[in-house]
Amino acid sequence: MGLDLRAGREDGCLPTDPAPQWPYVWFGDFRRALAAHIGIDLSAMRGFGGEQEWSTVDSPLKHLLDHSDCDGELSPQQAAELAPALRQALAEMAQGEAVCRPQWEFDCQAGEEFVHLLELCAGEGLPVLFC
């Protein structure tokens, strides 16, 4: 069981739509690695056991980090903001310690597919659905 990300088309996804997936545990690890990459300790943040407010975070990655891992959606505007930030973070992380994580190759492939989904949804004015 895990997270599926889909384009929020009224008539359902197209077979050509990117459809990234993660096991929930790996998605949690992926978000922790992203957060650490931009200097955030997720355990200090509201929703992850801490008290620090997300309003103090400047990065567009907060749209992904401060989000349910099993439901909800990202708006087309959030997708447009998140796509370049995620692409950049993935590229930077590939040069560092993140590649030491056992599932890094999987995260990198799913992350790239997620960037493509974000770009598609931003361009077509569609929400990104977390299923």
Side-chain angles (χ1 to χ4, degrees):
M1 188 143 179
L3 171 66
D4 296 318
L5 296 159
R6 302 287 183 261
R9 298 182 187 280
E10 288 185 22
D11 52 352
C13 294
L14 298 176
T16 55
D17 287 349
Q21 299 175 314
W22 269 275
Y24 284 125
V25 171
W26 285 12
F27 184 66
D29 290 345
F30 177 68
R31 290 200 302 179
R32 276 188 288 284
L34 277 174
H37 177 71
I38 61 170
I40 295 174
D41 174 9
L42 273 188
S43 64
M45 302 304 295
R46 186 168 301 276
F48 291 89
E51 294 301 319
Q52 186 173 346
E53 297 291 337
W54 284 100
S55 61
T56 64
V57 175
D58 221 10
S59 172
L61 291 175
K62 74 179 176 183
H63 298 311
L64 176 60
L65 299 173
D66 181 27
H67 196 283
S68 169
D69 62 358
C70 63
D71 61 5
E73 63 184 50
L74 295 170
S75 71
Q77 178 62 36
Q78 289 171 319
E81 294 171 11
L82 181 55
L86 183 56
R87 182 180 303 283
Q88 179 179 350
L90 289 169
E92 291 170 357
M93 291 168 69
Q95 303 301 314
E97 71 286 345
V99 296
C100 298
R101 293 175 46 243
Q103 69 268 21
W104 171 249
E105 187 174 324
F106 177 90
D107 284 347
C108 196
Q109 291 172 352
E112 283 298 318
E113 192 171 9
F114 187 25
V115 168
H116 294 302
L117 177 64
L118 292 165
E119 291 169 340
L120 173 107
C121 289
E124 294 188 21
L126 300 169
V128 177
L129 304 180
F130 284 61
C131 316

